[in-house]
Amino acid sequence: MKFDALIKSDNLREASRAVQEAERLGFKGVWTNETAHDPFLPLAPASLLTSRVQMGTAVAIAFPRSPTVTAYTAWDLAQASEGRFILGLGTQVKAHIERRFSATWDAPVERLRDYIGAVRAVWDCWQTGERLRYESPHYNLKLMTPFFSPPPLADPAHRPPIYIAGVNKGLCRLAGEVCDGFHVHPFHSIRYLREAVLPWIGEGLARSGRRRTDMQVCMSVFAITVGKQARAETRKQLAFYASTPSYRTLLEMHGWGDTGIELGQLATRGKWDDMGALITDDMLEQFAVEADTLAGAVALIKERYAGLADRVMLYTPFVAGERDAEWQAAVEAFGV
C-alpha cells in the first residue's frame, strides 16, 4: 500500500512547492482535485521540479472537456514528468454538469466509457501514427493530421494510466472493466467497501478477464486529529456529501437513509450550518478515523485498509510549511 498526499491548488507557486516537499518527505504520489481550481495546472511546473513522486488528478471532471483536449493535456504532463502522471477522471452529478459547466448530461456511465475510449484512441494515433477513427454513441473522432499531432512519447510505457472515481455500481464496474485504477469517494465505510465497491469492481474485472492486481484502488480518508473543531468540520463535510442522493446507497446500507433525506431537504433550503449536527458519533466512527496525531491517524488507516486499498491519502490537504514535522512522522509511521 502506498501513502499519497492531496495537494491544494489555491496558489500555483505554493502547490508546486508542496509537490516538491511531498517528494522530499517520501510520499509516493500527490493528487489534485477539481473544486475551485483547475486540477492540471499545478502539475505542470511540479512535473519539471520533481523526479520520483507520481502525480495525478483526483479527479478532473470529464464531460465539460472534449476527449481530445484532455488527451493533449495528459500527453504533455506525461512527457514532462517522464511517465509519472496519472489521469483521474470523474463524472460529477447532473446539476453541476448542466448548471455549473453548461455541458451535456447523458447516460454518465456509458458516456464515460466512450470518453475513455476516445482519449485512448487519440493517444494511439499519436504514439503509433495509425489513423484516428473512433466512433461511439457519444464521441466520434476522425481527424488528426501531423500538424496537430504531438511527437510520440519517448517510452510508450509513459502513457498515462486512467483512473476514474465513483460511488455506485455502474462506475465501479466500469473501473474494473476498462480502467487502470479507481478512486473510492472519501465518503465511504469499510463495510461499503467490502460488501459493495470491491465486489462491483470484481464484476467489471471478470467481464474483461482481468485480475484485481491489474488495477489500483485508491482511498481518500477523513482523519480527525485536533479535537472538537476538527470533529465539527468533519461532520459538516460529511453532511454535505450525505445530502446528495448519489450517496444514498451507502447510508441505507448502514440504516441511515432517513438522515440522508433530511440532509437533502436542509441543503435544498440552504441550511448548510445546521447539517453537521445530524452526523452522529456512530457515523463519524464509520466514515473517519480519529487519533491525537497525524502519525496515529495513518497507523489506523494502514491497519483499517490492509488488503482493501493499494493507495491511501488523507482528506486533509498537505501544505508545505504547515505541520511539516507531523507529516514527516506520518510518512515514517506508514512505513513507505
Side-chain angles (χ1 to χ4, degrees):
M1 195 179 346
K2 297 178 180 178
F3 186 36
D4 298 336
L6 175 65
I7 302 296
K8 291 176 67 175
S9 304
D10 297 6
N11 181 294
L12 292 180
R13 292 181 185 275
E14 291 302 315
S16 295
R17 180 180 168 222
V19 175
Q20 293 177 78
E21 185 65 10
E23 179 176 79
R24 187 190 69 79
L25 291 178
F27 286 101
K28 294 300 184 182
V30 296
W31 301 92
T32 55
N33 57 30
E34 185 160 23
T35 51
H37 299 276
D38 183 278
F40 294 108
L41 285 177
L43 302 181
S47 66
L48 301 174
L49 297 170
T50 56
S51 60
R52 299 184 307 279
V53 69
Q54 289 184 289
M55 55 190 69
T57 53
V59 293
I61 308 305
F63 301 150
R65 299 176 171 91
S66 112
T68 306
V69 169
T70 297
Y72 277 118
T73 303
W75 199 255
D76 288 343
L77 289 172
Q79 187 277 329
S81 66
E82 297 182 317
R84 291 179 289 127
F85 175 68
I86 299 168
L87 175 61
L89 298 171
T91 60
Q92 248 300 345
V93 296
K94 182 178 181 180
H96 284 261
I97 294 299
E98 292 185 338
R99 292 158 46 200
R100 183 157 67 98
F101 292 107
S102 190
T104 301
W105 176 266
D106 177 31
V109 175
E110 290 310 310
R111 188 176 176 199
L112 188 60
R113 179 194 299 275
D114 290 348
Y115 191 102
I116 292 167
V119 170
R120 286 175 170 161
V122 173
W123 289 345
D124 287 341
C125 172
W126 293 341
Q127 189 67 37
T128 68
E130 67 182 45
R131 184 179 180 186
L132 176 62
R133 184 163 293 277
Y134 181 81
E135 299 182 61
S136 73
H138 297 94
Y139 300 101
N140 292 284
L141 304 174
K142 300 178 182 179
L143 177 63
M144 185 63 64
T145 65
F147 184 78
F148 296 105
S149 300
L153 296 173
D155 183 344
H158 289 174
R159 174 168 154 159
I162 296 180
Y163 293 19
I164 63 171
V167 175
N168 293 314
K169 185 174 185 178
L171 289 172
C172 291
R173 290 177 69 175
L174 179 64
E177 192 170 350
V178 305
C179 297
D180 303 295
F182 185 72
H183 287 288
V184 177
H185 196 279
F187 186 52
H188 67 264
S189 67
I190 294 297
R191 180 182 174 189
Y192 193 67
L193 287 175
R194 291 186 184 278
E195 298 182 17
V197 172
L198 293 177
W200 290 336
I201 289 174
E203 290 177 17
L205 289 168
R207 278 187 174 187
S208 59
R210 300 196 302 159
R211 298 171 297 177
R212 172 65 180 81
T213 52
D214 291 327
M215 64 176 295
Q216 299 272 290
V217 175
C218 311
M219 312 287 177
S220 176
V221 184
F222 286 99
I224 303 168
T225 59
V226 286
K228 292 182 179 179
Q229 182 62 32
R231 206 171 290 117
E233 291 174 357
T234 302
R235 289 183 197 275
K236 184 176 181 180
Q237 189 62 48
L238 289 171
F240 167 74
Y241 288 133
S243 70
T244 305
S246 300
Y247 308 133
R248 201 63 48 78
T249 304
L250 166 59
L251 292 170
E252 289 172 351
M253 175 178 283
H254 289 278
W256 296 323
D258 290 343
T259 301
I261 294 172
E262 188 174 355
L263 286 166
Q265 293 170 345
L266 288 173
T268 299
R269 290 155 47 200
K271 300 289 186 180
W272 305 106
D273 292 337
D274 299 337
M275 292 165 57
L278 273 66
I279 302 298
T280 66
D281 288 345
D282 287 343
M283 291 179 176
L284 276 184
E285 186 175 347
Q286 292 295 324
F287 302 138
V289 299
E290 186 166 1
D292 293 334
T293 64
L294 288 175
V298 300
L300 291 174
I301 289 169
K302 187 175 182 180
E303 179 180 358
R304 179 181 284 195
Y305 290 93
L308 301 175
D310 301 294
R311 314 186 74 120
V312 296
M313 61 181 162
L314 300 189
Y315 188 85
T316 304
F318 170 74
V319 179
E322 293 183 9
R323 306 172 72 182
D324 283 356
E326 290 186 67
W327 283 109
Q328 179 72 76
V331 171
E332 293 172 357
F334 200 84
V336 294

